[in-house]
């Protein structure tokens, strides 16, 4: 069993820095868990505690049903891949991959067999006689993965392994990693600051901010029902529109902002938001442009190919953004009307940022 359990895991550096402020997490056997958040939120420190490179200040870590707090990194049954691939430059790709098996004094025939098999899985059989410097960034990344998975770890820990690759390769490697996970069926814990990477690869995502866990859920669960404004705006491209205003209930409920107001059906508005100052969060795909709604002026257009981003404003300099079908044509200066799809509105408390239900 290669499940991972973190119980109230805390890491402090000195008196003043709390890098990880009490993480509770259960990663199931075979799950692909992505830990995501902005720089400095504590993701690497969390991973380093699981791997054994950092000692927790307090809390308990289990791999399977074994407490591993005091085990050396090498005794935890983990494989690790980092952004810095640390391939041995003087060795061939074959010897780099075989390194762990050589250390364990595995016989030559078995080494050849296992390197050949893992090279086929990682599609790098043609590179085995090359040196790492003769490989492209993506190829070197695959070599580093092959070197780790050849030791058949039950848990694979990865810290920003794709961040040094260019955008196209990163996207290709995301697919590779998902395929690899399907094939190996081992437990993956993957750290990244990139929300798109988290969304596309994870079974579940743990979102962190300033050392605290913000939400643990499936990618769609997080996208559709962010637990607070931080999570809502961290995920999604373009960033979720956030509109400060007030929810009033004069007959039918309405949202009143400084520059426009809109009425809604009673069931589109959470009861706890009525009478409150809130931040209304709406993703661009949930903004409709049509014949009805509040008046606005188109300010900028960004064609994406299949869709178009329309930036508009309501008599102020704050832009809102709508994602529309590419066939619909808009130009700066167009007078439009806009509304919000009822299921696509998120009501966040102004003070705490917490989602109101
Ligand atoms: P990044 O994406 O930039 O790597 P991160 O989310 O992985 O960020 P961590 O590296 O875990 O963040 O760091 C969390 C916090 O702990 C940061 O404020 C960082 O400055 C601090 N920190 C990390 N390591 C140490 C250390 N050895 N000594 C003191 N402070 C540290």
């Amino acid at each position: 069993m290669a499940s991972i359990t973190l119980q109230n895991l805390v890491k402090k550096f000195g008196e003043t820095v709390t890098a990880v402020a009490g993480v509770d997490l259960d990663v199931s056997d075979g799950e692909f868990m992505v830990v995501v958040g902005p720089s400095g939120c504590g993701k690497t420190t969390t991973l380093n505690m699981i791997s054994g490179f950092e000692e927790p200040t307090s809390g308990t870590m289990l791999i399977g049903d074994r407490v591993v707090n005091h085990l050396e990194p090498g005794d935890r049954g983990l494989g690790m891949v980092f952004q810095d691939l640390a391939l041995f430059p003087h060795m061939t790709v074959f010897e780099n991959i075989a390194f762990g098996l050589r250390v364990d004094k595995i016989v030559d025939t078995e080494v050849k067999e296992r390197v050949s098999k893992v090279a086929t899985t990682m599609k790098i059989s043609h590179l085995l006689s090359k040196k790492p410097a003769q490989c492209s960034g993506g190829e070197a990344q695959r070599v580093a993965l092959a070197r780790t998975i050849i030791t058949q770890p039950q848990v694979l820990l990865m810290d920003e392994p794709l961040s040094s690759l260019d955008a196209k390769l990163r996207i290709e490697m995301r697919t590779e990693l998902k395929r690899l996970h399907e094939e190996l069926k081992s437990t993956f814990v993957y750290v990244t600051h990139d929300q798109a990477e988290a969304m596309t690869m994870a079974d579940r995502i743990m979102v962190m901010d300033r050392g605290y866990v913000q939400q643990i859920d499936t990618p769609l669960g997080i996208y559709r029902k962010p637990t607070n404004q931080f999570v809502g705006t961290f995920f999604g491209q373009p960033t979720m529109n956030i509109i400060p205003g007030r929810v009033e209930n004069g007959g039918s409920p309405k949202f009143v902002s400084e520059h426009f107001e809109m009425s809604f059906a009673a069931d589109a508005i959470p009861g706890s938001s009525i009478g409150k100052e809130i931040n209304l969060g709406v993703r661009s795909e949930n903004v409709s442009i049509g014949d009805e709604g509040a008046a606005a002026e188109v300010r900028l257009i960004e064609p994406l190919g299949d869709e178009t981003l329309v930036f508009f404003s309501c008599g102020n300099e704050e832009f809102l953004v709508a994602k529309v079908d590419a066939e619909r044509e808009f130009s700066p200066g167009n007078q439009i009307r806009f509304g919000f799809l009822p299921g696509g509105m998120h009501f966040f408390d102004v003070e705490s940022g917490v989602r109101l239900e």
Side-chain angles (χ1 to χ4, degrees):
M1 265 278 285
S3 58
I4 300 171
T5 309
L6 309 181
Q7 294 167 341
N8 199 13
L9 201 62
V10 174
K11 180 67 188 179
K12 294 185 180 177
F13 292 105
E15 294 292 306
T16 49
V17 179
T18 302
V20 176
V23 167
D24 288 299
L25 175 68
D26 287 306
V27 186
S28 321
D29 187 28
E31 189 171 17
F32 197 147
M33 175 66 70
V34 176
V35 182
V36 70
S39 183
C41 71
K43 350 179 249 301
T44 294
T45 306
T46 303
L47 201 76
N48 286 346
M49 287 192 280
I50 300 173
S51 67
F53 292 143
E54 285 292 357
E55 198 179 327
T57 306
S58 60
T60 309
M61 298 178 291
L62 294 97
I63 296 179
D65 47 17
R66 191 166 65 137
V67 174
V68 297
N69 282 47
H70 302 295
L71 290 187
E72 289 297 317
D75 297 331
R76 296 188 184 194
L78 308 167
M80 283 166 258
V81 182
F82 299 106
Q83 180 186 345
D84 170 14
L85 304 177
L87 295 171
F88 300 114
H90 60 288
M91 289 184 185
T92 60
V93 165
F94 183 100
E95 286 305 331
N96 265 285
I97 298 173
F99 185 77
L101 305 185
R102 300 279 191 223
V103 170
D104 287 345
K105 306 223 176 339
I106 306 288
V107 292
D108 217 34
T109 46
E110 187 182 337
V111 171
K112 281 192 184 133
E113 210 174 284
R114 282 171 67 177
V115 171
S116 161
K117 186 158 177 268
V118 80
T120 307
T121 303
M122 295 310 299
K123 299 186 191 144
I124 49 173
S125 304
H126 58 295
L127 301 174
L128 291 175
S129 58
K130 285 190 172 183
K131 297 272 175 62
Q134 298 168 304
C135 299
S136 71
E139 288 167 348
Q141 189 56 256
R142 286 205 284 270
V143 174
L145 274 164
R147 184 183 55 175
T148 305
I149 63 177
I150 200 167
T151 57
Q152 299 168 337
Q154 288 186 305
V155 175
L156 198 55
L157 304 180
M158 287 173 273
D159 191 354
E160 306 256 10
L162 308 185
S163 57
S164 60
L165 305 181
D166 68 38
K168 184 168 176 289
L169 253 180
R170 265 208 312 270
I171 291 170
E172 279 172 24
M173 281 301 291
R174 276 188 215 161
T175 318
E176 289 286 313
L177 280 171
K178 264 193 108 152
R179 186 183 60 80
L180 187 67
H181 179 252
E182 289 292 316
E183 202 171 308
L184 299 179
K185 304 204 184 315
S186 40
T187 310
F188 280 26
V189 182
Y190 185 103
V191 160
T192 180
H193 63 275
D194 181 341
Q195 57 91 22
E197 234 168 76
M199 288 290 288
T200 47
M201 293 197 298
D203 290 326
R204 281 189 309 151
I205 298 171
M206 174 164 87
V207 191
M208 293 183 74
D209 186 32
R210 285 168 291 174
Y212 289 91
V213 175
Q214 303 294 310
Q215 190 165 3
I216 302 172
D217 203 344
T218 59
L220 282 183
I222 281 178
Y223 191 78
R224 291 181 181 156
K225 216 171 169 189
T227 191
N228 58 33
Q229 187 174 323
F230 169 82
V231 176
T233 52
F234 190 79
F235 286 87
Q237 188 59 33
T239 304
M240 177 187 271
N241 295 296
I242 296 288
I243 312 147
R246 184 177 172 79
V247 178
E248 294 180 357
N249 197 5
S252 69
K254 61 182 178 180
F255 172 71
V256 182
S257 81
E258 196 182 338
H259 299 282
F260 66 90
E261 58 179 70
M262 247 177 228
S263 295
F264 298 103
D267 61 1
I269 290 205
S272 63
S273 71
I274 291 173
K276 277 211 174 104
E277 300 292 329
I278 61 140
N279 283 334
L280 180 64
V282 189
R283 296 197 187 282
S284 58
E285 64 270 30
N286 294 321
V287 179
S288 59
I289 298 182
D291 301 331
E292 291 178 10
E297 181 178 317
V298 175
R299 306 292 292 273
L300 282 175
I301 303 292
E302 279 185 13
L304 301 175
D306 54 343
E307 288 170 314
T308 301
L309 297 181
V310 180
F311 293 84
F312 59 91
S313 68
C314 308
N316 59 342
E317 283 313 306
E318 292 292 318
F319 288 5
L320 299 179
V321 58
K323 199 182 270 177
V324 302
D325 223 63
E327 268 97 80
R328 300 181 65 189
E329 285 186 15
F330 293 96
S331 308
N334 284 166
Q335 301 300 313
I336 56 164
R337 290 193 173 269
F338 71 97
F340 304 134
L341 304 184
M345 294 188 292
H346 308 270
F347 296 75
F348 300 118
D349 184 84
V350 166
E351 299 286 315
S352 65
V354 166
R355 177 188 191 83
L356 300 169
E357 297 285 0

